[in-house]
Amino acid sequence: MFKAIYLTKGEDGSTVASVKDLNESDLPVVEGGVTVAVDYSTINFKDGLAITGKSPVVRKFPMVAGIDFCGVVKESDHPRWKAGDQVILNGWGVGESHWGGLSQCARVSGDWLISKPSSLSPKDCMSIGTAGYTAMLCVLALERSGVSPNDGEVLVTGASGGVGSFAISILSSLGYQVVASTGKKDEHQFLTSLGAKEVIDRELLSVAGKPLQKERWAGVVDTVGSHTLANACASTKYGGVVTACGLAGGMDLPLTVAPFILRGVSLIGVDSVMASKEVRENAWSRLGNDLKLSVISQIAKVVDLQCAISTGGDILKGVIRGRVVVDVNK
Ligand code: NDP
């Protein structure tokens, strides 16, 4: 038997989340499947949507929640993995259309797993989770586009959230001048301690602005979307690069082509869910090398499986600072 956050549909169509005892024989049958004893999972924004049912991210019920996990292989039908290997899973529809990682045990395709970097503990890996891995994908996109620390300020929006916190700490450790945009007035000190050189109020960006504004950003990591992303593009410097990975403020994008055709600004979309194995391995290797371990513990707090259910609601309200790790065996 093992415990997991189990999602069902109530009679009124609402999602019901509970901690349930399950048997290993309940786990899905997968070709090239690997059974993993999970050490840690985490609560991402998407897990909040799944647990509360606020958005239809769960494609079939019953579902075990959790888009991330880190653990040890128990059994493997996949040539790349053997019992005892330490592995990470991020995305691939796990926790949405395939049983997920907010569980003491998971079975997934071996193609979806990558090795845990040796410099990071299982808890570190889930403190980072999909949020930190996505932050690294954004930083890699800025680097690939030639944005360097000497080019000027880099804006990070949704700064106190999971992606935002890790984006600040990765960028600042690489020498970038980071400006953090937040709605949380009492978290300025936290954001400065992660490496932000300036903190601005998110209201400056979240209302409709002019199509072209004063040029400020060499690069942007945007987790918010909507007017925030539009204003970020409108105030990016000539030839600058904006990476878009989130929709915490809305899915719309009310902007004009002016920043692109008059200033040569690039807008790059970042997806973590279906990224290739090579892209993931590179991002996790960079996380293992570039992140200061002291920063990881500063960003994350730990809860148990029961508490993770209410955290799912809190993350959607935007009241969580940094990241929440789930010790599934607590
Ligand atoms: P969090 O909830 O941890 O952080 C989101 C932050 O956005 C909040 O902490 C808050 O920061 C800010 N925020 C919340 N609501 C609003 C609002 N209405 N207007 C403006 N800002 C708001 O989520 P994550 O960091 O984990 O994820 C951020 C976004 O990125 C989500 O939309 C998520 O779905 C997406 N994402 C996408 C991935 C991909 O593969 N493309 C992977 C991972 C995440 P503050 O108070 O500091 O302003």
Side-chain angles (χ1 to χ4, degrees):
M1 296 285 273
F2 65 91
K3 290 188 190 305
I5 295 186
Y6 195 69
L7 306 178
T8 53
K9 272 260 183 233
E11 277 176 15
D12 60 355
S14 62
T15 300
V16 180
S18 62
V19 176
K20 187 171 163 75
D21 288 317
L22 296 165
N23 284 304
E24 271 191 44
S25 57
D26 297 325
L27 286 168
V29 177
V30 193
E31 209 187 312
V34 176
T35 306
V36 178
V38 177
D39 292 317
Y40 289 94
S41 183
T42 171
I43 297 288
N44 291 281
F45 195 85
K46 195 182 267 177
D47 297 312
L49 295 174
I51 287 169
T52 59
K54 287 249 164 71
S55 184
V57 294
V58 175
R59 300 291 171 194
K60 59 182 185 195
F61 290 88
M63 178 57 57
V64 169
I67 68 167
D68 280 335
F69 64 75
C70 184
V72 179
V73 172
K74 281 179 81 174
E75 279 172 33
S76 172
D77 293 332
H78 192 280
R80 239 184 42 234
W81 306 109
K82 60 179 186 328
D85 288 343
Q86 291 190 292
V87 290
I88 302 175
L89 180 129
N90 306 115
W92 291 118
V94 170
E96 300 179 67
S97 51
H98 185 94
W99 280 19
L102 281 162
S103 172
Q104 292 172 325
C105 195
R107 186 179 295 138
V108 297
S109 163
D111 291 344
W112 299 343
L113 297 167
I114 60 167
S115 293
K116 181 187 79 59
S118 56
S119 58
L120 298 170
S121 70
K123 190 172 146 197
D124 291 336
C125 290
M126 285 299 101
S127 302
I128 296 167
T130 283
Y133 147 58
T134 303
M136 181 51 92
L137 293 180
C138 292
V139 173
L140 290 168
L142 292 177
E143 286 183 348
R144 260 199 322 276
S145 307
V147 179
S148 78
N150 294 331
D151 292 335
E153 295 170 314
V154 176
L155 172 69
V156 175
T157 66
S160 74
V163 178
S165 306
F166 275 104
I168 293 167
S169 85
I170 297 164
L171 287 164
S172 74
S173 72
L174 293 170
Y176 290 88
Q177 302 166 54
V178 183
V179 176
S181 161
T182 185
K184 299 189 186 76
K185 293 199 169 40
D186 48 354
E187 297 298 356
H188 287 208
Q189 162 76 40
F190 167 66
L191 298 171
T192 312
S193 73
L194 295 181
K197 74 157 184 101
E198 187 184 333
V199 181
I200 60 173
D201 193 323
R202 78 174 181 211
E203 282 180 17
L204 292 173
L205 294 164
S206 61
V207 290
K210 290 185 184 157
L212 278 180
Q213 300 165 27
K214 188 166 178 248
E215 294 180 53
R216 181 160 186 193
W217 318 117
V220 176
V221 174
D222 179 64
T223 70
V224 173
S226 191
H227 289 298
T228 302
L229 177 54
N231 286 321
C233 291
S235 51
T236 293
K237 291 204 288 190
Y238 194 94
V241 181
V242 178
T243 57
C245 72
L247 42 60
M251 205 168 177
D252 58 326
L253 184 50
L255 93 169
T256 74
V257 295
F260 313 112
I261 64 173
L262 298 176
R263 290 186 181 158
V265 168
S266 302
L267 177 58
I268 299 181
V270 172
D271 169 62
S272 65
V273 180
M274 302 306 287
S276 69
K277 177 170 149 287
E278 290 69 30
V279 167
R280 288 162 191 267
E281 285 175 341
N282 180 38
W284 275 98
S285 152
R286 285 287 303 271
L287 286 160
N289 292 332
D290 295 358
L291 268 177
K292 293 189 197 112
L293 292 184
S294 58
V295 165
I296 298 178
S297 54
Q298 202 182 339
I299 291 176
K301 70 169 189 176
V302 183
V303 300
D304 62 15
L305 272 178
Q306 188 61 51
C307 198
I309 294 177
S310 58
T311 306
D314 292 342
I315 199 164
L316 300 187
K317 293 180 200 141
V319 296
I320 302 275
R321 177 182 105 171
R323 300 267 302 136
V324 178
V325 177
V326 183
D327 180 347
V328 297
N329 300 303
K330 202 167 161 187

